[in-house]
């Protein structure tokens, strides 16, 4: 069976950047596309970054027991990993890579145990997170504020992860991530 690699961090820490880098590295990784009830931002497309659903559709999937895990990550904004998505990737013979919030990350790790590696991406500071989110330019000031408000709490989860990678210098963080993932897949 394929292995599972989980990346979690506060929003703006650099998860997507690092996950996209790993996806380009011939490691037989496939991205677990989550479902969400938030609106697409920028160039995001249904079935690429996320499966975008209305809050009602999302609730219907919860009631149908379609999720391996789901969280209300921000008020009224639901995100979840579909069981069918993980199965699809494992059936294809791939290793699964997740970009999920800290609670989802801990839950997936508990579920898959030694078959999963959980990685926490640590930003240098909360102020730097704000700067990165502002520079990314994809979220309104209110949304950036709600993300920053949650970041301090999310940082307290770091010790529960198998590995913590500091993302101060992006090139160093990418190299470290590549090494830990390669080592884990070779085990
Ligand atoms: P996340 O997926 O964790 O929300 P992103 O990968 O979208 O974060 O990164 C947030 C923003 O910060 C992006 O614009 C990205 O290019 C930038 N970024 C990522 N890592 C660094 C870094 N080490 N230094 C400066 N900017 C960074
Ligand atoms: P964003 O809106 O920036 O894409 O994501 C916001 C947060 O939701 C990030 O921390 C991201 O990792 C998390 N997230 C994305 N998909 C899932 C998921 O399927 N489950 C959980 N628990 N969190 C998710």
């Amino acid at each position: 069976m394929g292995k599972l690699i989980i990346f979690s961090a506060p929003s703006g820490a650099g998860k997507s950047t690092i996950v996209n880098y790993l996806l380009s590295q011939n490691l037989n990784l496939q991205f677990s596309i989550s479902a969400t009830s938030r609106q697409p931002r920028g160039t995001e497309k249904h079935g690429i970054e996320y499966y975008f659903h209305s809050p009602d559709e999302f609730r219907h999937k919860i009631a149908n027991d379609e999720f391996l895990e789901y969280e209300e990550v921000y008020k009224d904004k639901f995100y979840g990993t579909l069981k069918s998505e993980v199965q699809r990737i494992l059936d294809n013979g791939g290793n699964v890579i997740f970009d999920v919030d800290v609670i989802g990350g801990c839950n997936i790790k508990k579920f898959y145990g030694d078959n999963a590696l959980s990685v926490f991406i640590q930003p240098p500071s909360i102020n730097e997170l704000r700067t990165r989110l502002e520079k990314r330019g994809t979220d309104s000031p209110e949304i950036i504020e709600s993300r920053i408000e949650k970041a301090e709490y999310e940082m307290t989860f770091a010790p529960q992860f198998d590995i913590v990678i500091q993302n101060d210098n992006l090139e160093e963080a990418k190299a470290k991530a590549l090494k830990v993932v390669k080592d884990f897949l070779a085990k």
Side-chain angles (χ1 to χ4, degrees):
M1 189 179 107
K3 293 188 173 177
L4 303 106
I5 298 167
I6 305 154
F7 278 82
S8 299
S11 181
K15 280 182 313 285
S16 312
T17 307
I18 292 170
V19 166
N20 284 329
Y21 166 69
L22 293 173
L23 282 165
S24 73
Q25 295 299 303
N26 269 331
L27 297 167
N28 191 24
L29 296 175
Q30 295 182 41
F31 183 60
S32 166
I33 304 169
S34 296
T36 183
S37 67
R38 80 151 163 78
Q39 297 289 315
R41 72 180 176 223
T43 58
E44 287 179 340
K45 297 254 168 349
H46 181 81
I48 305 287
E49 288 85 358
Y50 283 105
Y51 300 113
F52 293 100
H53 294 293
S54 68
D56 270 355
E57 285 169 341
F58 202 102
R59 274 191 282 274
H60 182 73
K61 288 183 181 300
I62 296 173
N64 262 353
D65 197 24
E66 291 182 43
F67 288 107
L68 175 63
E69 61 79 33
Y70 71 90
E71 296 293 325
E72 185 177 9
V73 179
Y74 306 106
K75 191 170 179 325
D76 296 332
K77 303 284 182 280
F78 287 85
Y79 297 78
T81 305
L82 292 160
K83 293 175 184 169
S84 58
E85 179 68 7
V86 178
Q87 205 51 52
R88 177 182 71 77
I89 297 172
L90 294 175
D91 287 349
N92 276 342
N95 300 302
V96 191
I97 186 161
F98 300 88
D99 173 341
V100 293
D101 89 311
V102 292
I103 297 175
C106 292
N107 286 336
I108 296 171
K109 170 69 191 182
K110 261 186 225 135
F111 198 78
Y112 288 101
D114 287 347
N115 241 348
L117 175 76
S118 64
V119 184
F120 187 90
I121 302 294
Q122 182 131 46
S125 66
I126 303 272
N127 259 346
E128 174 63 16
L129 277 184
R130 185 192 304 277
T131 306
R132 288 183 189 174
L133 289 173
E134 285 169 357
K135 278 203 191 142
R136 189 170 73 185
T138 51
D139 299 291
S140 68
E142 294 73 34
I143 290 192
I144 291 181
E145 219 34 62
S146 70
R147 287 170 181 241
I148 295 297
E149 268 170 25
K150 199 167 177 194
E152 205 137 353
Y153 166 71
E154 291 171 320
M155 301 273 260
T156 65
F157 282 77
Q160 298 186 39
F161 282 72
D162 294 328
I163 291 175
V164 177
I165 296 179
Q166 180 83 16
N167 180 16
D168 195 343
N169 176 301
L170 181 57
E171 291 314 308
E172 284 173 19
K174 286 198 304 200
K176 177 108 192 268
L178 181 61
K179 181 172 180 349
V180 298
V181 169
K182 269 190 175 163
D183 289 351
F184 175 68
L185 292 176
K187 269 204 293 189

